[in-house]
Structure formats: structure tokens, C-alpha cells
Amino acid sequence: MTDPVAPLMPQASQTNIASMIRVNQAGEYGATRIYAGQRAVMGDQGTEARAIAGMAAQEEIHRAFFDKVMAERGVRPTALQPFWNIAGFGLGAVTALIGPKAAMACTVAVETEIDRHYAEQLEQLGDSEPELAEAIARFRDEELEHKDRALAEGAEQAVGYPVMSAVIRAGCRAAIALSKRI
């Protein structure tokens, strides 16, 4: 007997799954570049710098997972990767130059959008891709831990926090939209 609700539930097509994998790999790559820019400026001094080092290590694990899945499934990477390399590093370096609280504000803004993005993907996946959904759910939890840590480190005390957050969040939404397709 078929489930009468099943046709109403969102199920991701193979094209959508490829797009998810591509954009997630690009996003995790971008996150590693943001943290690289911040670490280049901040070094390893202070609680914020140590927090960034820990978050960066987790982002590397996330990126490596999506690199592996891309290779296994033959998903092409985004053609924008060279741009995300420079833009991510630049965003990280600029926010760190403003100060440690601004670097933390960057994390809060990025992770806010990633939380929303991963939640949408989990809804789209439903039960169709349990291994992928489990990884995305785990990564989402870790991204929320990054956001909470950045808030605890004083992100909201950064100069111009509301404007900085809005600009970074808009940039993240644009990067997600572009990386899905290009």
C-alpha cells in the first residue's frame, strides 16, 4: 500500500541533489577561506583566534566530506571557486582587521544563513538521501555551535554590527544562489 501523503512530501531530484552538493562544497570551501583570512590577520593570539582555529578545523572536515561526495557522484564544482577563494579570504581578512569582534560578527552572519540553507535542504531531501541528510544535519549542528561561540565571544559588540551582518548575510545568499547554478 502506498502512503497517500508521500506524493505531497518534497523529494529531491538527482539534479537538485547535485546542486545541493555543489553549493555545499562551495560554501564549506568559502568558510575555510574566510577563516584562513582571519587567521592570517589575527594569528593565534587571544580567545577569538583560538575559537576561529577550532571552527576552521571543523569546516575543513565539512569541505572534505563534500569533496568526497562530489567525486563519488561525478558532481561538477562551481565555476566560481576561484572567486570564492579570493572573496572568502578577503572577507575574513577585512573583518579581522576591523577587530576580533568583527571577525566573530562575520561568523554569526554566515552561520545564520547556513542554518537557513541547510534547514531548507533537509526539508527537500526528506527520506530520499539518508546518508547525505545525516551529514548535513550534523554539519548544521556544528555551524550553529560556531554561531553560538561567536555570539559568546562578543560578535554583537562589533562596530557596525547590524549593517555588517546584513551585508554579509546578503552576500551569503547571493553566493548560495550563484553556486547552485554556475
Side-chain angles (χ1 to χ4, degrees), residues 61-82:
I61 292 167
H62 301 175
R63 185 201 44 79
F65 171 83
F66 286 114
D67 284 350
K68 178 178 170 275
V69 172
M70 283 178 76
E72 290 171 352
R73 295 186 183 213
V75 175
R76 67 169 176 78
T78 178
L80 298 171
Q81 192 115 343

Side-chain angles (χ1 to χ4, degrees), residues 23-48:
V23 73
N24 291 354
Q25 189 277 342
E28 298 297 351
Y29 176 75
T32 64
R33 298 307 298 148
I34 290 168
Y35 288 131
Q38 290 174 340
R39 294 180 78 196
V41 171
M42 296 172 69
D44 60 1
Q45 302 299 311
T47 61
E48 295 95 344

Side-chain angles (χ1 to χ4, degrees), residues 54-144:
M55 292 184 273
Q58 281 187 317
E59 300 295 357
E60 287 290 346
I61 292 167
H62 301 175
R63 185 201 44 79
F65 171 83
F66 286 114
D67 284 350
K68 178 178 170 275
V69 172
M70 283 178 76
E72 290 171 352
R73 295 186 183 213
V75 175
R76 67 169 176 78
T78 178
L80 298 171
Q81 192 115 343
F83 179 75
W84 300 149
N85 176 28
I86 295 165
F89 190 91
L91 177 60
V94 166
T95 56
L97 284 167
I98 295 169
K101 304 276 188 250
M104 291 294 120
C106 178
T107 293
V108 171
V110 170
E111 301 301 16
T112 297
E113 290 305 316
I114 297 306
D115 172 41
R116 184 186 60 76
H117 171 70
Y118 277 166
E120 288 173 3
Q121 286 187 346
L122 289 169
E123 185 176 321
Q124 289 174 359
L125 285 171
D127 295 332
S128 65
E129 290 275 341
E131 290 178 39
L132 182 59
E134 187 276 326
I136 290 171
R138 186 176 70 249
F139 297 163
R140 179 182 179 213
D141 289 345
E142 291 173 357
E143 306 294 6
L144 288 172

Side-chain angles (χ1 to χ4, degrees), residues 1-11:
M1 179 174 193
T2 61
D3 181 355
V5 179
L8 303 175
M9 296 177 67
Q11 291 295 313

